[in-house]
Amino acid sequence: MSHPGSTAAEAISVLDLTTAAKEMLEGGIPKLWVRGEVTGLKVYPSGHWYFAIKDADSSISAVVWKGATFKIPARPKDGDQVTAFGQLTVYPARGSMQFTVTQMLADGEGLWQRQFDETKRKLEADGLLDPARKRVLPRFPRTVAVITSSEGAALRDVIAVIQRRHAGVHVMIIPALVQGEGAPESICAALEKLARWAVSDRAAAGIPVPEVLIIGRGGGSREDLWAFNHESVARAIAACPIPTISAVGHETDVTIADLVADLRAATPSVAAEHAVPVLDELREHVGKLAGIMADGLQDRCEVGRRDLQRRAEGLSKRAQLVSERRRSRAERVAQRLMQLAPRAAERRRALVARLGAALEAKSPLQVFARGFSVARDDAGATLTTLSAFVSGKQFELLVKDGRVLATTNSVHADAPHLRTDA
Amino acid sequence: MTFEQSLARLEQIASALDRDDLPLEDALKLFEEGITRLREASAALADAEGKVKTLLEQADGVFGAKE
């Protein structure tokens, strides 16, 4: 029986041999899970991972092509016990057997958890998980930005909830791949685009810049959600200039994005509820405030009115008091005047009497009564000095009870009656 | 003022007017301002139609949107 390569003349090429071996292996051994220890892992610049999986007595070369690495949360380390899913094949260039890995688990769930913990630790070290970083959501955003898949149920849910609650709120969608290869990069690019728009502070097509972001996706496998555990995504969310609400998967799914976001919502619908108030409730709230204001002012006016009334009453009482005081004062004055009046009259009478007496004392008649007399010449002029008397000349002397005609005999200059020392 | 600022101010004014110790003149002034804020807030709550669009970034850094 003859077959290719059965004789020297029918020798086949190396390529044919390796190809035949490859086909045989791939046809004979289906894709399967293999358990073993990772050793000699190297990451090539091309992005592929090369390593070996071994146990006590055997070893097999293994590779994870770059395109499959995103499905594996963390690169295994040498010594890790892993369970790898893949296809046994032949690498023609070296003619060696190689296990092409497409999925990998470490100690059951270990790899995912390890990567999660490691990313968390890094973010924690940078302070990005600090509760003090959490921003307060705006109460009344005019625009909500949504980063998610443009095809997913998450987007439909978010839009429906927002429109039901407050039909006046705008929704700006920034689509991103949320799973599979390139998802973290796509989400980061969307976040950066949003950040550029938000800081530009310029409306786009009449829609004002958003004041809050909802980022997430609907439910899926852990692999599907893994982009939201990516460190670069977490950092981009932390750097977002507006407050963020994460909504990844279902209630039980907690991702790194959830830890970094300002608020974690269990689902996209719940995120929309957190983002947007109910319009009717807002109107009611504003109406209530108007009522409180009006009542408050009315009450305040009532208080003012009562206060004014109290003051007015006080004032009128005081006015009464004042007029009473004034009246009593007038009375006192009048009384005093009354008292003073008779006394004044008396005084005046006494004064008149005194003045009368003085006048009387000065009366020439009184002077005559005291023995004085007045000399007058024949013309009636009073002779008061020596020179008025001329020897031998007649003059008249007025006394108390009549006139005396006299003649001057002689005049003498001495006047002993005027001397005070006598 | 944004709706948020108007409403926050409105809440302040309402709680201030709710007290009796405010001088009447201040109360009147506050009330007057409150009416202004109330008008702003109510206008913001008037029936408006929110749009749902997808963000577009043009090469020159200008942002637009498509349906």
Side-chain angles (χ1 to χ4, degrees), chain A residues 139-140 159 163 167-173 193 196-197 204 282-283 285-286 289-290 292-293 296-297 300, chain B residues 3-4 7 10-11 14 17 20 22 24 27 31 34 38 45 47-55 57 63 65:
Chain A
R139 289 162 74 194
F140 320 103
I159 292 171
Q163 291 190 331
V169 170
H170 304 294
V171 177
M172 187 64 99
I173 305 158
K193 193 195 280 188
R196 284 195 296 277
W197 179 34
L282 269 185
R283 286 188 176 136
H285 181 53
V286 169
L289 288 177
I292 292 172
M293 264 178 32
L297 188 70
R300 187 61 194 81
Chain B
F3 174 74
E4 183 140 20
L7 198 67
L10 208 50
E11 282 164 347
L17 283 174
D20 282 347
L22 201 65
L24 191 59
F31 186 76
L38 200 61
L45 293 181
D47 283 314
E49 205 180 327
K51 298 173 207 152
V52 177
K53 297 205 170 191
T54 299
L55 187 66
E57 186 175 18
F63 287 89

Side-chain angles (χ1 to χ4, degrees), chain B residues 2 7-11 13 18-19 22 25-26 28-29 32 35 37-38 40 44-45 47 55 62-63 67:
Chain B
T2 65
L7 198 67
R9 183 68 186 135
L10 208 50
E11 282 164 347
I13 290 172
D18 209 22
R19 296 193 320 255
L22 201 65
E25 199 176 330
D26 296 355
L28 283 167
K29 244 181 239 163
E32 214 171 298
I35 295 298
R37 302 284 161 252
L38 200 61
E40 287 170 359
L45 293 181
D47 283 314
L55 187 66
V62 174
F63 287 89
E67 295 301 325

Side-chain angles (χ1 to χ4, degrees), chain A residues 111-129:
Chain A
L111 273 189
W112 299 93
Q113 195 57 47
R114 181 196 296 167
Q115 181 60 27
F116 187 97
D117 292 345
E118 203 169 297
T119 305
K120 192 176 162 188
R121 205 162 38 243
K122 278 193 210 164
L123 297 173
E124 215 153 35
D126 289 349
L128 298 185
L129 305 186

Side-chain angles (χ1 to χ4, degrees), chain A residues 287-342:
Chain A
K288 261 185 204 149
L289 288 177
I292 292 172
M293 264 178 32
D295 290 352
L297 188 70
Q298 208 172 353
D299 287 355
R300 187 61 194 81
C301 283
E302 181 56 26
V303 167
R305 202 187 59 74
R306 278 202 302 269
D307 186 44
L308 209 60
Q309 196 176 358
R310 233 182 1 255
R311 279 171 200 236
E313 277 166 12
L315 209 61
S316 97
K317 246 181 239 161
R318 209 176 312 163
Q320 221 173 334
L321 256 169
V322 165
S323 75
E324 260 166 37
R325 257 207 311 269
R326 219 169 265 166
R327 202 163 49 221
S328 67
R329 187 164 160 228
E331 271 167 18
R332 257 200 325 277
V333 169
Q335 232 170 353
R336 190 153 165 67
L337 278 176
M338 305 272 266
Q339 281 170 354
L340 286 177

